[in-house]
Each structure stands twice: as C-alpha cells, then as structure tokens.
Amino acid sequence: MESWAIWFIVGAFLFIAEMLTLTFYLLWLAIGAIAAGVIALVIPGSFTAQGITGAVIALLLTLFTKRLTRVFRKSKGFRDPIDDLIGKHGIIEEYVEEGKPGIVKVGGETWTAVSKQTLRKGEAVLVVDRGTTTLEVEKRGG
C-alpha cells in the first residue's frame, strides 16, 4: 500500500476517534497525518519528511490553540459551566478514599471525585472545588 494512503487512513481514524472524545488533541494529530499524506503524494518515499511534517503541524496546532484557549477563557463574559457545580450537593456513588478517586453524582451527572476524607457510597457531599475532569468534595456540613 502506498504511504500516502496509510497517512490518510491514520488521519481518518484519528478524526473519527476525535469525534468520540471531543478533546481536540486527536484532531490536531489527524490534521498532521493528513499533511504527511499530502507530502507523501508530493515527495514519495521520503518517510522522514512526511513524519516531520505531520509532527510539526500537529505540534504547531496544539501550541497555537492552547494560547488561543487561554486568551478566550480569560476574556470578559466567559463562564465555564463546570464552575457552577461548586457549592452544589451530591451523593457518593463509588467509595472515595484520600488519594484515590471515586464517583459522585451531582444533579443528573456523574463525575470523578477526590476528597481529603474517606467517603462511603450513599453519603451526601458538597462540591468544594473542581479540576478539569474531577470534582473535589467533602462531607456535607464538614
């Protein structure tokens, strides 16, 4: 099979995987793979040029969008909906130990939870802080 076809297949696979994860990181890798495929069409047989092109494109897109995202998040009027979870009550769904995450249900959603306390299934908790994908919780009232 031609190397350009392999790059395009890898790009398509990464694009599909991105649609399932919605992180944007796989999207940049997919665009890098497609760019490498284009280079493979122009310069056949130069796997080094193809790989370097794909890697540089993916790296530049990642770096550029990180900065752009940071600026967007600091702009006036931006509010992350996850921030609204702080102060809400939840119920422990899966045992939480200090240093080991568990599961908490807040509203109708389940989240990974961490705590400085040991929390058992069914205990009522309060969300005190948030990470990117985790909530820090403590026993309600304590």
Side-chain angles (χ1 to χ4, degrees):
M1 185 180 286
E2 297 289 329
S3 62
W4 62 266
I6 294 170
W7 284 114
F8 287 151
I9 290 169
V10 168
F13 175 76
L14 288 168
F15 183 74
I16 291 168
E18 172 58 40
M19 288 191 287
L20 298 173
T21 62
L22 301 174
T23 61
F24 285 109
Y25 293 114
L26 294 177
L27 178 62
W28 307 148
L29 292 174
I31 292 171
I34 291 169
V38 170
I39 294 299
L41 285 171
V42 176
I43 310 171
S46 178
F47 185 75
T48 303
Q50 299 163 20
I52 289 172
T53 300
V56 167
I57 295 288
L59 182 65
L60 288 174
L61 286 170
T62 301
L63 293 175
F64 176 73
T65 54
K66 280 260 190 214
R67 187 176 326 154
L68 188 64
T69 302
R70 205 172 304 127
V71 168
F72 177 71
R73 295 188 108 200
K74 291 181 181 179
S75 68
K76 186 177 181 179
F78 176 78
R79 177 141 179 90
D80 193 339
I82 299 173
D83 290 331
D84 293 338
L85 294 174
I86 296 173
K88 290 197 174 183
H89 298 145
I91 301 291
I92 296 297
E93 295 284 314
E94 186 180 296
Y95 186 76
V96 178
E97 219 180 310
E98 184 177 352
K100 293 183 181 178
I103 304 291
V104 64
K105 187 170 189 173
V106 179
E109 300 177 329
T110 56
W111 290 85
T112 301
V114 294
S115 180
K116 296 176 182 166
Q117 307 164 301
T118 298
L119 303 170
R120 302 196 188 304
K121 183 175 179 171
E123 284 191 278
V125 293
L126 178 69
V127 178
V128 293
D129 201 5
R130 64 164 284 241
T132 52
T133 60
T134 61
L135 299 177
E136 184 177 337
V137 296
E138 62 183 29
K139 287 183 185 177
R140 197 181 318 184

